[in-house]
Amino acid sequence: MTGLSYICSLKCTRQTAAETLAAIHKVDVTAIGLQKYGRRDNYCRRQVERWERQYLSSTGEGKPARYQKMLELAHWLKEHIPEEDSSAAFGTGLVHGDYRVDNLVFHPTEDRVIGVLDWELSTLGNQMCDVAYSSLPYIIDATSQSYSYGGFEYTGTPDGIPPLEEYLTAYCSISARPWPAANWKFYIAFSLFRAASIYAGVYHRWTMGNASGGERARFSGKLAIAMVDRAWDFISREHVLREQPARGMHVSKGSWQEFQREREGSISTKDQGKFVPSEKVMQLRKKLMKFMEDHIYPMEFEFYKHAQSTSRWTIHPEEEKLKTLAKREGLWNLFIPLDSAARARELLFEDRSHSSPGSSEEHLLGAGLTNLEYGYLCEIMGRSIWAPQIFNCGAPDTGNMEVLLRYGTREQQSRWLVPLLEGKIRSGFAMTEPQVASSDATNIECSISRQGDFYVINGTKWWTSGAMDPRCQILILMGKTDFSAPKHKQQSMILVDVKTPGVQIRRPLLVFGFDDAPHGHAEITFENVRVPATNILLGEGRGFEIAQGRLGPGRLHHCMRLIGAAERGMNLMVERALSRTTFGKKIAQHGSFLADLAKCRVELEQARLLVLEAADQLDRHGNKKARGILAMAKVAAPNMALKVLDMAMQVHGGAGLSSDTVLSHLWATARTLRIADGPDEVHLGAIAKLELQRARM
């Protein structure tokens, strides 16, 4: 057992690994006779040149785009060698060269290292390269053969494994080294570059028939490509390492568990409120706002008129034109997080060696944003009911694409994910049922029974958003494959082509009178619907597992859009108050209005910071660790939006209740989201349970 899977089984051993590495780096090489074991200066430059030569001499993959990206990465590394690398000063010494948990031997009963293996790459040089290389499991999963390469920062840090900043804190405290934030981007990119060279060599030997490792050797070619892609993703980030937690604290073994409990028990962090968008995000935000002002807002009335006509279940021709323009502007699929972008890139370009970064296909992969970065943009889209779908960032398609990216097979991705990424089709998510309380998903009754090479589905679903859309071709359905299994292992998710016999879309459901045509929220019956067994997602009994991976980002996207909806309400409210006169003065001059307006602003900003904090914790800790603050955001955002929009409607008088403004529709959407993706009561219960757990620690 190696790599990520091995690390996940070790619980708290990364603390021990940090201590062991620090001990190696503190060795006085002169005292033990190793002062001539290698040159200390210019270690990184010499290593980049060495592994570049290794790659050039061993690769035979014959893919010009990939080949060029690797050489460009080598060039970038040479241009960004840290100044500290040029001399044999502090921070240089004994380097292991292949330091990872796989190469450590642990005591059978005690949490300590009793041996370090594989010293063939050891020398003298820049020791921070060891630290970065040992940190790669946080960045990439080098064991995955399912095209899902995300490391801990994408999948969530497993229980017992410290977050990256805490691992580095332990190392820096013991080794007395400074915090590596200034050059961390280089060190991680270099580690990925070196690993890519090694894996490319293994793959080349496999093609020549002289490599050991069998299936893993064959897989190494894809892993080398993933390493290069991940390196470029990492380089493109604005910030790659946060400030050192508990600055100056020595994390001893005795205090480690205490430190972990304090960290996990707290829902907020020291960084709360320090949200400054990067230049990249600010530029995208500027483009997005201009697009909204130039194209979306002017078309809202036309979209509403079409949605109320006899042709409302057809697509307005301007919508497709705007989608094409959004692609051209680089405002397409912005929701795709970094790890999913890497998987999508592998899918789209595996057999398209002529494609390169910057091509039209590359635009399908978004801008490589974190959840936090996307929050600043998703908020802008939330200012209009119609905007998200123009940028291919609307629910439920975003969640469904994420499910297919994370859990779909190659065949499922090829058939359904690619056209979804391209915006050629749309999708629905069939989970809620009319006859049971679906806020507790264990109540679901829809059956999915195996019959040979098929599954047969029987049941009724409703509030299946998107199913009415004429472009909807695929549903992700949640049902039960085993009614006798443990209650959270009974459910499975399966892909259902809407044209399959037995799928009957019965009617659109109204939300406070809105049918949301042509998107719609459908009631659907499934009567002996036979779908291929290969349509099952991840496997039988994995439905809850998939749901948790899907709902975390999806819920947060709703909250982000609600911030935008409330901001739109504030703007319209202020414009109305400044233009309308009541009882001899402008509405804006009435003291009661001023007080209410101020309270709305206070609550909006509070909710915005909570949503951004939730996005930040989702990025750093994953769904499981961030579930408390995600639940808080899911409760706070719709309630805040309802209050702000209600105030805006009040200021507009009768017009605020009509369809002459967007306010009533925005309000209806916000009210729906106090139930959709889990009612307030469920989230409040989760928050309270976490609070009680923290008190018991």
Side-chain angles (χ1 to χ4, degrees):
M1 187 164 48
T2 60
L4 197 63
S5 59
Y6 184 67
I7 293 170
C8 290
S9 71
L10 292 175
K11 296 298 180 183
C12 291
T13 55
R14 288 202 71 81
Q15 160 70 4
T16 309
E19 294 175 348
T20 303
L21 182 58
I24 291 172
H25 288 174
K26 290 174 69 176
V27 166
D28 185 342
V29 292
T30 301
I32 62 174
L34 291 180
Q35 64 271 26
K36 296 183 179 179
Y37 196 51
R39 286 176 54 190
R40 294 194 187 200
D41 64 318
N42 294 309
Y43 173 81
C44 293
R45 182 170 296 281
R46 289 184 283 108
Q47 285 284 304
V48 172
E49 293 172 350
R50 170 190 173 181
W51 292 108
E52 181 182 26
R53 291 194 300 271
Q54 177 77 10
Y55 178 79
L56 290 170
S57 64
S58 65
T59 186
E61 58 187 19
K63 294 184 176 181
R66 297 296 181 188
Y67 181 87
Q68 186 62 31
K69 286 179 71 174
M70 184 66 169
L71 297 184
E72 289 173 356
L73 179 57
H75 177 74
W76 184 92
L77 290 168
K78 292 175 188 176
E79 292 293 315
H80 293 82
I81 301 290
E83 291 184 10
E84 62 198 47
D85 190 65
S86 60
S87 66
F90 178 77
T92 65
L94 185 60
V95 175
H96 181 275
D98 193 16
Y99 192 84
R100 47 198 168 98
V101 177
D102 310 53
N103 286 334
L104 303 184
V105 180
F106 292 89
H107 190 280
T109 59
E110 301 174 14
D111 185 19
R112 62 186 178 91
V113 174
I114 59 175
V116 181
L117 309 177
D118 290 347
W119 288 82
E120 58 264 30
L121 295 177
S122 62
T123 184
L124 302 182
N126 189 327
Q127 295 173 327
M128 190 49 64
C129 293
D130 269 351
V131 181
Y133 191 72
S134 70
S135 302
L136 285 187
Y138 292 96
I139 311 300
I140 189 166
D141 180 356
T143 68
S144 173
Q145 297 189 29
S146 62
Y147 306 93
S148 177
Y149 298 107
F152 295 156
E153 66 177 7
Y154 304 110
T155 62
T157 308
D159 291 341
I161 305 295
L164 174 60
E165 286 81 3
E166 293 170 16
Y167 172 64
L168 294 177
T169 293
Y171 170 82
C172 292
S173 297
I174 299 167
S175 64
R177 285 207 58 159
W179 191 243
N183 296 305
W184 190 243
K185 184 178 291 188
F186 169 86
Y187 287 120
I188 289 294
F190 166 68
S191 296
L192 291 165
F193 169 78
R194 191 184 71 160
S197 297
I198 293 172
Y199 282 115
V202 173
Y203 177 70
H204 182 59
R205 291 194 297 275
W206 178 82
T207 62
M208 302 297 291
N210 58 3
S212 60
E215 180 67 16
R216 181 163 178 78
R218 184 181 69 83
F219 164 68
S220 61
K222 304 238 181 243
L223 186 53
I225 293 171
M227 293 280 184
V228 178
D229 286 339
R230 184 68 82 244
W232 280 115
D233 285 338
F234 200 79
I235 288 169
S236 68
R237 301 185 197 176
E238 187 72 15
H239 302 289
V240 295
L241 193 62
R242 300 183 180 278
E243 291 184 4
Q244 182 175 5
R247 190 177 300 277
M249 181 186 71
H250 175 78
V251 187
S252 64
K253 283 188 179 181
S255 65
W256 182 255
Q257 283 75 20
E258 190 174 340
F259 185 53
Q260 281 287 89
R261 285 196 297 270
E262 180 184 348
R263 179 78 179 202
E264 293 173 5
S266 175
I267 294 180
S268 63
T269 72
K270 295 179 180 179
D271 295 329
Q272 187 167 359
K274 299 178 182 178
F275 300 115
V276 180
S278 66
E279 182 62 28
K280 173 184 178 181
V281 172
M282 290 302 294
Q283 290 299 321
L284 284 170
R285 191 173 185 271
K286 183 178 179 181
K287 287 176 62 176
L288 187 59
M289 292 181 71
K290 188 176 188 305
F291 194 102
M292 296 282 289
E293 292 167 0
D294 291 349
H295 305 291
I296 303 294
Y297 299 143
M299 280 299 300
E300 280 184 325
F301 179 74
E302 287 299 319
F303 286 147
Y304 272 112
K305 188 167 69 173
H306 182 78
Q308 294 165 7
S309 71
T310 55
S311 303
R312 65 182 180 278
W313 297 110
T314 64
I315 307 304
H316 194 291
E318 285 300 315
E319 181 177 325
E320 292 302 318
K321 293 179 182 178
L322 289 180
K323 287 166 67 175
T324 300
L325 181 58
K327 288 182 186 179
R328 191 160 61 240
E329 291 285 321
L331 299 174
W332 188 255
N333 288 339
L334 293 172
F335 75 95
I336 299 178
L338 284 166
D339 62 324
S340 296
R343 287 191 292 274
R345 185 176 293 110
E346 177 67 23
L347 169 67
L348 289 169
F349 301 136
E350 180 187 24
D351 297 319
R352 308 180 192 185
S353 58
H354 63 279
S355 299
S356 59
S359 68
S360 59
E361 291 173 321
E362 187 81 8
H363 290 165
L364 298 180
L365 310 181
L369 304 175
T370 63
N371 285 293
L372 175 59
E373 290 173 325
Y374 177 58
Y376 296 103
L377 307 177
C378 189
E379 173 188 328
I380 305 300
M381 299 179 202
R383 298 182 183 186
S384 171
I385 295 292
W386 307 97
Q389 64 202 44
I390 300 299
F391 306 104
N392 214 35
C393 291
D397 295 321
T398 52
N400 290 343
M401 284 187 270
E402 189 69 8
V403 165
L404 287 166
L405 278 164
R406 291 185 180 276
Y407 310 114
T409 65
R410 295 292 281 177
E411 291 73 24
Q412 292 166 353
Q413 291 172 339
S414 178
R415 182 175 180 186
W416 302 115
L417 175 60
V418 171
L420 280 170
L421 287 170
E422 293 172 334
K424 293 180 178 178
I425 67 171
R426 297 202 68 179
S427 61
F429 186 70
M431 178 174 170
T432 307
E433 298 179 3
Q435 64 270 36
V436 296
S438 301
S439 57
D440 177 3
T442 61
N443 289 333
I444 286 174
E445 296 178 345
C446 181
S447 66
I448 308 173
S449 58
R450 181 71 180 260
Q451 294 184 13
D453 293 333
F454 291 86
Y455 282 102
V456 178
I457 303 169
N458 282 283
T460 301
K461 298 288 185 179
W462 71 344
W463 297 111
T464 303
S465 298
M468 300 294 300
D469 195 306
R471 296 162 296 186
C472 181
Q473 294 188 21
I474 186 67
L475 304 174
I476 296 181
L477 177 140
M478 187 165 177
K480 289 186 177 180
T481 46
D482 187 350
F483 284 76
S484 63
K487 67 178 184 178
H488 289 94
K489 296 293 183 181
Q490 298 177 8
Q491 299 79 9
S492 303
M493 287 194 188
I494 195 166
L495 296 165
V496 182
D497 188 323
V498 294
K499 296 180 181 178
T500 306
V503 178
Q504 294 292 326
I505 298 177
R506 296 296 183 183
R507 59 174 176 143
L509 301 171
L510 303 182
V511 181
F512 296 108
F514 296 99
D515 60 15
D516 289 322
H519 187 61
H521 315 280
E523 180 176 351
I524 310 176
T525 57
F526 299 83
E527 298 177 3
N528 295 317
V529 176
R530 290 170 59 85
V531 300
T534 53
N535 281 23
I536 200 79
L537 282 164
L538 204 57
E540 291 188 12
R542 309 288 292 275
F544 264 89
E545 179 182 346
I546 298 171
Q548 290 308 306
R550 181 188 192 277
L551 288 177
R555 286 170 176 161
L556 198 54
H557 294 173
H558 282 313
C559 294
M560 294 167 177
R561 284 189 286 267
L562 285 168
I563 300 297
E567 196 66 66
R568 181 94 182 267
M570 288 287 290
N571 292 341
L572 292 174
M573 184 197 319
V574 169
E575 289 176 7
R576 183 80 169 189
L578 290 171
S579 64
R580 285 287 170 130
T581 300
T582 62
F583 303 102
K585 56 183 177 181
K586 300 292 186 186
I587 295 176
Q589 295 174 314
H590 288 274
S592 60
F593 168 78
L594 294 174
D596 289 339
L597 178 67
K599 290 175 183 177
C600 285
R601 173 53 68 188
V602 169
E603 293 198 22
L604 196 159
E605 294 303 329
Q606 288 175 336
R608 175 183 279 120
L609 287 174
L610 182 62
V611 170
L612 292 174
E613 175 67 12
D616 187 44
Q617 290 204 26
L618 181 62
D619 287 329
R620 289 189 287 140
H621 304 308
N623 288 340
K624 185 176 181 181
K625 292 282 184 68
R627 65 189 184 279
I629 197 163
L630 285 169
M632 289 185 193
K634 182 59 176 61
V635 172
N639 281 282
M640 176 280 299
L642 284 170
K643 180 175 180 178
V644 173
L645 291 167
D646 183 79
M647 177 66 181
M649 288 191 289
Q650 192 73 9
V651 171
H652 278 75
L657 308 179
S658 73
S659 59
D660 288 356
T661 73
V662 298
L663 292 171
S664 60
H665 203 169
L666 290 173
W667 186 94
T669 300
R671 184 61 185 86
T672 301
L673 289 173
R674 288 193 58 211
I675 296 175
D677 285 349
D680 285 3
E681 291 76 11
V682 172
H683 296 297
L684 289 169
I687 296 165
K689 288 177 183 177
L690 288 172
E691 196 69 19
L692 292 172
Q693 289 173 11
R694 183 172 67 168
R696 294 190 185 105
M697 288 182 177

